[in-house]
Amino acid sequence: MRYYRMRTLPYNQTHVTEKLIIVNAVVFLLTSVVQNLQYYLALIPSFILHGYIWQFVTYMFVHGSVSHLFFNMLSLFIFGSVVERQLGSREFLLFYLVTGTFSGILSFLSYLLAGTNVVLVGASGAIYAILLLFAVFNPYAQIFVFGLIPIRAPILVLVYTGIELYSQVFAAGGNVAHLTHLFGLLGAYLYCLVRLKISPLKVFKDSLN
């Protein structure tokens, strides 16, 4: 079954993935040279409480280092390019922005409830969402972890979910925003159910039988 035919916006192909990579790279350069710009664009709970609500969107275009940017954009290019072709550029852009914003909002609420103030940056929430959607559309695809170990896409998503849950519960992984990654996966799951009318669990179960 070609699940990507469940799209809801008219199909077009305008290479949104490449444009998102360019925007992320430009924002990284700007935040590297413009003093304090990062603090206006990153997601900072105390700033949002003072009206900086655009940070729910802009945080996903900010990165803390070259390696942070590189690995996120590499994942976006590898998986996003495929998903964009299957879903269509308009729906893909909507998916990227909705899941990234969803991750930001839930992260903000979790930090607020915990009484902590952080500087949250990165596209990882949206990237994890794309990985789940890739697995839904391509449940038989093999992904070579470290370039050596072949793992079916749905299994890889489940493994990543388990790693992120473990890291969040046991505070492993340093400054990595594991909860934001989990919210990205949750956002993609809900997007599939509500907008695309696809059950990721059913797709995964069918593909692994």
Side-chain angles (χ1 to χ4, degrees):
M1 179 178 180
R2 295 184 177 179
Y3 297 102
Y4 57 84
R5 289 190 176 179
M6 297 291 185
R7 62 181 178 264
T8 56
L9 289 179
Y11 187 91
N12 72 332
Q13 181 68 14
T14 57
H15 305 289
V16 162
T17 300
E18 288 85 349
K19 293 173 183 176
L20 286 171
I21 291 172
I22 292 171
V23 171
N24 276 275
V26 170
V27 171
F28 179 77
L29 290 174
L30 289 174
T31 55
S32 299
V33 298
V34 180
Q35 187 176 14
N36 297 325
L37 178 61
Q38 182 176 13
Y39 296 105
Y40 287 96
L41 301 180
L43 194 157
I44 306 174
S46 61
F47 281 35
I48 290 177
L49 291 175
H50 285 85
Y52 289 47
I53 58 173
W54 60 82
Q55 292 185 345
F56 286 128
V57 177
T58 58
Y59 86 97
M60 72 181 88
F61 295 98
V62 183
H63 290 82
S65 66
V66 172
S67 62
H68 188 203
L69 174 70
F70 174 77
F71 286 111
N72 271 349
M73 295 304 100
L74 179 63
S75 299
L76 175 57
F77 178 75
I78 293 172
F79 298 107
S81 298
V82 176
V83 173
E84 181 184 352
R85 286 195 299 270
Q86 295 174 314
L87 190 62
S89 295
R90 296 176 186 176
E91 191 74 30
F92 176 75
L93 179 60
L94 180 65
F95 173 81
Y96 185 90
L97 294 176
V98 167
T99 55
T101 303
F102 177 84
S103 302
I105 292 172
L106 290 193
S107 297
F108 164 74
L109 292 175
S110 67
Y111 292 131
L112 203 61
L113 290 172
T116 58
N117 197 42
V118 301
V119 180
L120 179 65
V121 299
S124 299
I127 299 300
Y128 271 72
I130 290 171
L131 179 59
L132 186 141
L133 195 56
F134 175 89
V136 170
F137 287 172
N138 308 278
Y140 298 99
Q142 297 272 8
I143 299 172
F144 286 83
V145 179
F146 305 120
L148 298 171
I149 308 170
I151 300 181
R152 288 268 295 279
I155 296 176
L156 184 62
V157 169
L158 295 175
V159 169
Y160 275 153
T161 302
I163 292 173
E164 295 300 326
L165 282 170
Y166 175 87
S167 300
Q168 178 61 34
V169 172
F170 295 100
N175 294 323
V176 177
H178 300 291
L179 202 56
T180 303
H181 299 169
L182 290 169
F183 289 146
L185 292 169
L186 176 61
Y189 182 82
L190 294 175
Y191 195 99
C192 286
L193 287 178
V194 175
R195 185 164 178 85
L196 302 181
K197 309 303 181 186
I198 303 169
S199 170
L201 288 180
K202 184 178 185 304
V203 174
F204 291 176
K205 180 180 178 182
D206 291 345
S207 69
L208 296 174
N209 285 337

